[in-house]
Amino acid sequence: ISSSEWALAVESVLHLNLPWRTLRPRLAKINANGSVDYLSTFRDLQFNQPMNKVQPSLIEAMYRHRADLEIIFAMIDTDHTGLISMDEFRQTWKLFCYHRNIRVDDTSMDDLARSIDFNNDGFIDFNEFLEAFRLVQIDNN
């Protein structure tokens, strides 16, 4: 399919109002004829149960994947303020939970958002977002 068709398909499913054509190089491959290989969008997705292998340190992984984390942060920050509001966080988690068929009540989502908002200003900035990943790694060890 064309890049435009791919972008429309992704937006029609996710409803995130993102620049999908700009994000396409990170999410899907282009065929030799210039069309988007739609299925390549899903090939790299892996939903594994807990892994038994030793994983690289979180700091190494975060630096290696910082650009991806910045894209995820920007996707959640729908008003593009550089901050994730509690409502943006809640809406993203609702979408995630819906697609993963997970039941989480609003109070639990709000509690999670507040736990990431370390400076208690009602927003999650990028540093708080990264810190939440670091704390999860510490808890898992």
Side-chain angles (χ1 to χ4, degrees):
I1 62 175
S2 71
S3 288
S4 295
E5 291 170 323
W6 177 85
L8 286 171
V10 173
E11 179 59 30
S12 71
V13 171
L14 298 177
H15 306 287
L16 294 174
N17 195 26
L18 293 172
W20 293 112
R21 283 186 283 198
T22 303
L23 296 172
R24 198 261 335 128
R26 291 189 165 274
L27 301 172
K29 299 192 180 354
I30 295 290
N31 291 324
N33 65 4
S35 65
V36 175
D37 176 5
Y38 181 76
L39 294 178
S40 71
T41 306
F42 310 104
R43 279 192 201 111
D44 292 334
L45 295 178
Q46 296 177 1
F47 298 105
N48 297 330
Q49 294 303 316
M51 301 171 79
N52 295 326
K53 295 190 256 177
V54 174
Q55 297 297 310
S57 78
L58 183 66
I59 300 298
E60 291 172 1
M62 283 174 50
Y63 281 111
R64 197 169 45 247
H65 300 290
R66 183 181 174 102
D68 295 329
L69 290 170
E70 287 173 344
I71 289 171
I72 293 167
F73 184 88
M75 291 171 69
I76 299 170
D77 177 23
T78 57
D79 62 2
H80 310 292
T81 61
L83 300 169
I84 297 172
S85 70
M86 295 299 144
D87 187 54
E88 289 169 326
F89 184 87
R90 187 181 312 107
Q91 293 305 317
T92 300
W93 271 102
K94 282 183 178 182
L95 179 66
F96 174 78
C97 291
Y98 173 79
H99 285 286
R100 299 290 295 156
N101 198 24
I102 300 169
R103 294 183 190 266
V104 178
D105 60 76
D106 286 345
T107 303
S108 296
M109 280 190 253
D110 291 344
D111 289 346
L112 177 61
R114 280 191 294 276
S115 74
I116 297 171
D117 177 22
F118 298 110
N119 65 2
N120 298 314
D121 66 353
F123 297 92
I124 299 168
D125 63 33
F126 187 65
N127 287 328
E128 291 170 322
F129 186 72
L130 290 177
E131 181 67 8
F133 283 93
R134 188 183 74 78
L135 291 176
V136 168
Q137 178 67 22
I138 289 170
D139 287 346
N140 285 339
N141 289 336

